[in-house]
Amino acid sequence: MRLENHELMQKIYFKYIFLLLAIAVVSCAKRGSITGGLKDTIAPKMINSLPKNHSTNFNGKEIKIYFDEYIKLKNLNKQLIISPPMKKQPEILPYTASKFITIKIKDTLLPNTTYSFNFGKSIEDNNEANPYQQFKYVFSTGNYIDSLTLDAKVKDALELKVENYVSLMLYEANEKYTDSTVYKQVPRYITNTLDSLKLVKFENVKEGKYKLIAIKDENGNNKYDPKTDKIGFQKDFITLPNDTLYELELFKEELPFKAVNVSQASGSKFTIGYEGNPKDVKISVKKGSEELQHIVTQFPKKDSLQVWFKGIKGDSLTIEVAKNNFKKNFQLKVKAQKKDTISFSSEQSGTLNFRDTFALKSTTPLSKWDVTKIKLINKDSAEVKFTTEYDEFNQQLKFNFVKEPLEKYKLKVLPGALTDFFEQKNDTLNYSFETTNTSDYGNLRLILEHVKRYPIIVELTDKEGKVLASQYSEKSNTITFDLLEPNKFTIRVIYDDNKDKTWTPGNFLEKRQSEEVIYFPKEVDVRANWDVEQPFDLGVK
């Protein structure tokens, strides 16, 4: 019995020892495992350069900048700002990881000029991509470094959001400067908002008088192209030194109207490409001395007009296009092509919101419509009275009627009710749509305070800037938007100084700024079955 107990105690002892050894091995393994250490969060630093940063009397063709670790260049073409701009861009190496950057200058440098290379966030360490923020290399071809600064910021003249990568420019206001300079010459100094800067600073500027310009430079040539670029400008020249913070408002100029081409698009229409605004353009179509009947409409989503005509193969047409100071004749020989056929569609299907208008869009322009062959009935099969209006320019036949909540409608268009310019008629058309309850919508009442002048345009937009509702006021400061689809709205007020019922952008050559726009400082939440009253003080920016 004692022997058995002894053997049992030995077995328990050995199991205990084995367990302790196993725990020790595991613990040792944990203590000896490799974790890799802390993540590197430190940006690279410049340790030397040849020539030294801020050198004077520079006349070389190559610069080397050394760093304390391996670096790489990222998005250099977007991030690097060279001021003054160079006609011939320098070559900047390396293309792979290295401990130094080489700048090979290809341009002839201006005398007695301070140059700066602002690398933005383009220099990163090779392992963890930590950026060396706003590193600048500066040198002067003269015997001193210019040291004046100027602060500026950019906003959009109409939109709440400002685009990235806006160039701010200073042009010397000397005897060579004219207003056309910004179209033809690069500026003396340049900086950029890059991808995130709200406030930018010109540095290393010399004393003098300047024209301050902002350009969203789409083609990157440091010149203003009204066809593609937005521009903002300070109306008066500025003088440095100056501690003023300047704000520039970007806008896209409305180009003067210009017809750029005419081409046949089908057997029944030709198109006219244009620049500017086609409103009130005058177009004539002649076959010899005979004036041909035609209709002008907008080509959807393109800067082109559609001119519908009844020409035949072989006709030689003269098309005259005129507006304001523009007038030009185009020649067109009609070719045999397939003619357009009539068909219809509607953007409103399913639910028709109370603020929307039901409309039929035709593929060809209408010339007449017979409302006795059109029936609008509700869910009880009772006829609903309606009126029509035709938007010829957009080829839309609109139906106006009193919408009732929780109602279902059917629109039936009998054959021959709609006739187009070419005497084509419709087949039977059927459309169904319905309304929801008014409690599914919200109402917004704006109380405008300190309105400086009238008329005004009050607009509600979504977060992307799309206009969802608009009101025009010539004297009232109380603006009501009823039956809005629930949303968080951005509110803006436009001072419509030229009374054309639309926002008008500025013009650089006319030294005219855009019409003033004021935003309510926060979104307004309008929910279903809510009535919101919102004061809006236009005197507070």
Side-chain angles (χ1 to χ4, degrees), residues 329-479:
N329 288 338
F330 297 88
Q331 303 300 318
L332 180 71
K333 188 166 186 178
V334 180
K335 300 176 183 178
Q337 291 188 18
K338 185 177 179 180
K339 294 189 176 182
D340 297 87
T341 57
I342 189 171
S343 64
F344 296 87
S345 62
S346 176
E347 294 179 356
Q348 294 83 20
S349 61
T351 300
L352 180 66
N353 292 309
F354 282 93
R355 296 181 66 88
D356 294 340
T357 300
F358 184 85
L360 292 179
K361 185 172 180 63
S362 57
T363 53
T364 55
L366 299 181
S367 59
K368 56 187 175 182
W369 47 98
D370 184 353
V371 295
T372 65
K373 295 182 179 181
I374 303 174
K375 302 294 182 185
L376 178 64
I377 60 174
N378 62 19
K379 62 186 176 185
D380 296 326
S381 299
E383 287 196 24
V384 178
K385 292 182 178 181
F386 65 89
T387 59
T388 58
E389 59 178 309
Y390 185 55
D391 179 356
E392 183 177 83
F393 193 61
N394 293 296
Q395 297 172 214
Q396 286 186 329
L397 181 64
K398 299 179 180 180
F399 294 81
N400 299 309
F401 60 95
V402 177
K403 305 178 190 72
E404 299 293 341
L406 297 172
E407 188 59 272
K408 294 183 178 180
Y409 297 95
K410 289 184 179 180
L411 180 73
K412 186 170 185 177
V413 185
L414 298 176
L418 309 174
T419 305
D420 76 358
F421 180 63
F422 305 102
E423 298 301 322
Q424 300 178 107
K425 298 180 184 296
N426 67 291
D427 294 326
T428 300
L429 302 172
N430 289 291
Y431 298 91
S432 298
F433 47 90
E434 61 186 31
T435 59
T436 58
N437 204 335
T438 53
S439 61
D440 295 326
Y441 299 83
N443 303 313
L444 174 61
R445 186 169 181 259
L446 295 176
I447 310 299
L448 304 180
E449 302 170 354
H450 301 108
V451 180
K452 292 188 290 187
R453 56 192 180 274
Y454 289 93
I456 57 173
I457 306 168
V458 184
E459 294 180 334
L460 306 183
T461 77
D462 62 14
K463 62 181 179 180
E464 303 302 326
K466 179 182 178 182
V467 178
L468 303 177
S470 178
Q471 294 274 15
Y472 194 76
S473 175
E474 295 181 332
K475 60 181 180 179
S476 176
N477 69 331
T478 301
I479 310 295

